[in-house]
Amino acid sequence: MKRVLTAGVAALGLMMSSAMAEVKIGMITTLSGGGSHLGIDVRDGFMLAVKQSGRSDVDVIIKDDARKPDVAKSLADEMVQKDKVDIMTGIIWSNLALAVVPGVVRQNVFYLSPNAGPSQLAGRGCHPNYFNVAWQNNNLHEAMGAYMKSAGLKKPFILAPNYPAGTDALTGFKAMYGEDVAGEIYTQLGQKDYAAEIGQLRASGADSVFFFLPGGMGIAFMKQYAGSGVDLPVYGPAFSFDEVILGAVGDAAIGVKNTSQWAHDLDNAANKAFVESFRAAYGRTPTLYASQGFDTANLILSALSKASPDDADAFRKALEAAEFSSVRGDFKFGSNHHPIQNIHVREVVSGDGKPTNKLVGVAIENHQDAFAGDCHF
Amino acid sequence: MTVALLIEQMLNGVQLGVMLFLMAAGLTLVFGVMGLINLAHGSLYMIGAFVCAVTASWSGSFWLGLFVGGLAAAGVGAVVEMVVIRRLYDRDHLDQVLATFALILILTEGTRWVFGDQPLWLDIPALLSGAVPLPGGGGYPVYRLAIIVIGLALALGLYLLIAKTRLGMRIRAGESDREMIAALGVDISLLYTVVFALGAALAGIAGALVGALQSVQIGMGEPVLILAFVVIVIGGIGSIKGALVGSVLVGLVDTLGRVFLPGLFKLILPASQATAVGSSLASMSIYLVMALVLIWRPQGLFPHHG
């Protein structure tokens, strides 16, 4: 009897300990160098959600890739092989995502992208273990193309950096706007001087400018554009006008319209609570990157409450269900694990000391990416 | 293509060239006089920019920031020369490359430690904001014109210093025969410190000037350093005149390539492919020029006679 009892207690203990097993999440993101504010906001949004959940069994390992693909790749190998993480997340840049994600998901680790959504991973290169919680790269640009078309603009001048997300951006824009643009330029990734591009823009006879230059590139462009004497209306995806960029660019950005799946003044309860708690925790207004980090963590937490990553099929089902209250309101996954969501238009207005984004309308409703049809698990 | 566009892009090329000259001059001076390859030159550019940004935001004066930034770079340069570089003059170039690469890591982390991870913002002084009209329509930012003027003034000052002054004479003599001028009673180690600090100051000023156009951030010096080395290889190692000509050449090739190559490819390729191929080729153009110069004149355009 005693022996049976001991065995029972031991078995119970074993069950308890397996129920309490730690979930390891590996986060590789850009925390230093150009564009580090994107990674910092993804991290801060993610960790805010983890903290709010009160779970002590979720262990997040955070590493800095410094926006270098080779660094990201070796960090990923280390996390998968040495740290034995169950889930990975964090990558900001599409060229880094393409270097890391295919290898990670093949080794039965789940990858949830809080930002980068290259077309390659949404279409033919999709994988059942890869989820994108932000958008497919083309989405915000498609929305702006549609918006500018409907606003009656005739000859936009468009530019983006020459890397996977940049080509996705201009392809997406033209998919909705049409091919008839005043000029199209690919700049170098990380480029800091846009004098040559602004000169071409001036000479092109364009009636508007659409640009996708995330992080420090956008700040440099806007500062130089403001000083160039060119005075055309400016449009872009939210990446060109997040709150950090606006703080640096200042009043030169007022009046600019941009598309985003999220805005800090989006009216829903989850978002109000998020913006308030983010401001309280970090003393600044969150960017869309912070909202994406926050959503990613909440999606993972919602799935963890239903299944363990050890049971891959059950965990995948729980992720697909996406039963969490997203700060962007309606959110569900399409067949290729990319979001189907509304994309809004925001306008930059003068705010409290520095300009800020104000929601003005919806660009596209329930938008799904163009690559879902190419994806067969 | 209009005349205004061409003029504007030529000015852009010259402006980039002048900035590169400020970097390359210090680099080639240090190499010419002391025979030292200094990979950490880009870190001095970064330090100049950071100190300028912080000083300008404290004092509200860009010009004070520029002055203090240049001074700080010179100061750090002098200290680095006395503590580290001094031990490297007699060693071979591989040792110098290794040691100055270590300096990059130390100075980068040091800057991060002092100023933080986030980029700093430096605004263009009000005096130089706005644009001036160009013949044929269009306009050109005053600040970029000011960079060209300041850069050319510094180039002229450097020429006068080296060709016309006693210090310049000693620098030139030290280049030719370091033992002989030491024997003649010149304090050679002090002379080297001064030359190194001078090169550092030029890099710091370049960093501060560019910082107001772009952003001031960790690691901003390394991409510029690579271009500066290309300039030196094209212009001829150790030659200030070569550095000036090489800088303007690289500036023009890079700018005009970026502007006109995609258009050229549009004649033979569909538009979207042409922009992608043209942009890729444009980012290679200066290296192609360097390769061609090396085939034609392996010593560079203005080989140094020392």
Side-chain angles (χ1 to χ4, degrees):
Chain A
M1 184 62 205
K2 203 174 180 181
R3 199 179 289 169
V4 174
L5 203 68
T6 339
V9 169
L12 208 68
L14 216 64
M15 270 171 68
M16 287 286 286
S17 76
S18 83
M20 292 296 286
E22 271 204 344
V23 178
K24 273 195 178 172
I25 303 176
M27 175 183 284
I28 298 172
T29 195
T30 305
L31 302 173
S32 65
S36 54
H37 79 258
L38 285 68
I40 288 168
D41 261 21
V42 161
R43 177 196 65 192
D44 288 354
F46 192 96
M47 293 317 288
L48 182 67
V50 171
K51 215 163 97 198
Q52 285 176 0
S53 76
R55 287 179 71 133
S56 56
D57 59 332
V58 176
D59 182 19
V60 186
I61 306 164
I62 302 172
K63 293 270 168 75
D64 174 20
D65 60 33
R67 201 168 79 183
K68 297 195 174 94
D70 52 326
V71 174
K73 184 85 184 77
S74 67
L75 286 175
D77 289 342
E78 190 188 318
M79 283 187 179
V80 171
Q81 279 151 27
K82 197 173 128 258
D83 300 326
K84 309 249 181 260
V85 295
D86 307 289
I87 304 165
M88 284 189 61
T89 184
I91 291 178
I92 300 297
W93 309 91
S94 289
N95 50 338
L96 272 63
L98 287 171
V100 167
V101 171
V104 165
V105 291
R106 264 201 305 276
Q107 297 180 72
N108 296 322
V109 172
F110 283 90
Y111 188 89
L112 284 89
S113 176
N115 197 64
S119 53
Q120 291 85 342
L121 297 178
R124 292 233 176 100
C126 67
H127 192 280
N129 287 350
Y130 170 72
F131 288 77
N132 187 307
V133 195
W135 19 255
Q136 192 279 315
N137 279 349
N138 302 36
N139 290 164
L140 303 196
H141 316 287
E142 288 167 338
M144 192 39 102
Y147 178 80
M148 285 173 74
K149 185 94 192 161
S150 71
L153 292 156
K154 296 279 181 286
K155 285 181 86 180
F157 189 96
I158 61 178
L159 70 157
N162 197 5
Y163 86 118
T167 42
D168 281 355
L170 297 193
T171 311
F173 179 86
K174 289 192 292 180
M176 294 296 219
Y177 181 85
E179 294 288 326
D180 193 19
V181 294
E184 176 179 349
I185 295 186
Y186 287 108
T187 63
Q188 283 176 47
L189 185 62
Q191 184 173 318
K192 286 298 175 49
D193 197 313
Y194 293 93
E197 287 74 15
I198 291 170
Q200 283 168 282
L201 164 56
R202 194 201 308 271
S204 69
D207 67 352
S208 52
V209 187
F210 169 84
F211 76 88
F212 163 59
L213 294 167
M217 293 181 272
I219 304 176
F221 179 83
M222 275 309 285
K223 280 177 82 172
Q224 291 165 34
Y225 182 79
S228 71
V230 182
D231 197 21
L232 300 172
V234 174
Y235 299 84
F239 319 122
S240 304
F241 307 101
D242 66 51
E243 306 298 316
V244 175
I245 293 184
L246 291 181
V249 172
D251 291 348
I254 286 174
V256 165
K257 293 223 169 67
N258 64 89
T259 42
S260 176
Q261 82 286 358
W262 174 86
H264 65 77
D265 52 350
L266 201 60
D267 192 13
N268 67 59
N271 194 40
K272 276 188 185 136
F274 162 62
V275 173
E276 211 165 280
S277 58
F278 191 94
R279 278 182 177 147
Y282 302 108
R284 64 180 193 269
T285 301
T287 59
L288 78 160
Y289 311 110
S291 83
Q292 292 159 192
F294 190 77
D295 269 359
T296 306
N298 276 325
L299 171 64
I300 294 175
L301 293 164
S302 78
L304 284 178
S305 68
K306 288 188 230 168
S308 155
D310 297 336
D311 183 356
D313 289 328
F315 188 68
R316 189 178 305 116
K317 273 221 163 54
L319 285 174
E320 280 167 351
E323 280 168 358
F324 71 108
S325 45
S326 167
V327 293
R328 69 192 97 169
D330 296 339
F331 173 97
K332 65 176 179 188
F333 279 118
S335 57
N336 60 346
H337 292 171
H338 280 62
I340 298 176
Q341 59 191 346
N342 293 348
I343 295 174
H344 307 271
V345 180
R346 313 184 302 186
E347 184 178 344
V348 178
V349 295
S350 60
D352 188 19
K354 62 175 193 175
T356 186
N357 279 295
K358 186 174 180 301
L359 206 58
V360 292
V362 177
I364 311 190
E365 277 181 21
N366 289 324
H367 187 57
Q368 187 173 20
D369 62 276
F371 305 93
D374 297 335
C375 166
H376 308 284
F377 292 139
Chain B
M1 185 191 78
T2 61
V3 181
L5 177 63
L6 191 64
I7 296 175
E8 183 174 353
Q9 301 298 3
M10 301 285 269
L11 282 172
N12 285 334
V14 172
Q15 184 251 305
L16 177 61
V18 163
M19 286 327 299
L20 286 177
F21 171 74
L22 293 182
M23 280 296 277
L27 210 53
T28 207
L29 200 61
V30 167
F31 188 86
V33 178
M34 314 174 205
L36 178 103
I37 295 178
N38 178 23
L39 288 188
H41 202 61
S43 304
L44 300 165
Y45 172 90
M46 172 177 73
I47 289 169
F50 267 96
V51 172
C52 176
V54 168
T55 312
S57 78
W58 272 347
S59 67
S61 163
F62 173 80
W63 302 108
L64 183 67
L66 187 62
F67 178 74
V68 177
L71 211 62
V76 172
V79 170
V80 163
E81 198 275 343
M82 286 190 276
V83 176
V84 181
I85 304 285
R86 190 164 282 189
R87 295 160 211 281
L88 300 170
Y89 294 133
D90 295 331
R91 313 190 65 146
D92 66 24
H93 289 329
L94 186 64
D95 289 353
Q96 298 172 352
V97 165
L98 275 174
T100 52
F101 184 74
L103 275 177
I104 293 184
L105 302 180
I106 293 166
L107 291 174
T108 300
E109 286 309 310
T111 310
R112 197 196 301 282
W113 188 53
V114 175
F115 296 102
D117 246 339
Q118 289 299 297
L120 300 179
W121 312 108
L122 179 58
D123 286 324
I124 290 174
L127 179 67
L128 298 179
S129 61
V132 289
L134 281 182
Y140 200 74
V142 179
Y143 186 71
R144 287 183 192 269
L145 282 178
I147 289 183
I148 296 178
V149 173
I150 294 172
L152 290 178
L154 285 172
L156 181 69
L158 197 63
Y159 165 75
L160 292 176
L161 178 76
I162 290 179
K164 305 284 180 199
T165 65
R166 181 171 289 265
L167 177 67
M169 188 183 74
R170 285 181 176 168
I171 291 174
R172 279 178 292 141
E175 228 170 324
S176 308
D177 195 328
R178 126 177 21 171
E179 281 76 21
M180 186 58 81
I181 78 153
L184 288 173
V186 174
D187 185 347
I188 193 80
S189 64
L190 179 67
L191 179 70
Y192 279 17
T193 308
V194 169
V195 171
F196 199 88
L198 184 65
L202 289 175
I205 290 170
L209 284 172
V210 169
L213 274 179
Q214 306 171 358
S215 63
V216 177
Q217 62 186 44
I218 305 288
M220 65 189 279
E222 276 71 60
V224 190
L225 182 76
I226 294 170
L227 290 179
F229 272 115
V230 172
V231 162
I232 290 174
V233 170
I234 290 178
I237 293 165
S239 158
I240 296 277
K241 188 163 122 199
L244 183 60
V245 175
S247 305
V248 175
L249 183 68
V250 166
L252 285 173
V253 166
D254 186 60
T255 306
L256 298 180
R258 261 159 53 200
V259 176
F260 298 115
L261 276 179
L264 226 53
F265 277 95
K266 268 187 199 140
L267 300 175
I268 49 168
L269 285 174
S272 61
Q273 271 177 35
T275 45
V277 174
S279 310
S280 307
L281 200 64
S283 53
M284 283 183 247
S285 58
I286 57 164
Y287 303 101
L288 292 176
V289 170
M290 180 172 80
L292 289 175
V293 167
L294 284 180
I295 293 168
W296 176 47
R297 294 182 76 137
Q299 298 295 308
L301 295 176
F302 295 92
H304 184 63
H305 313 286

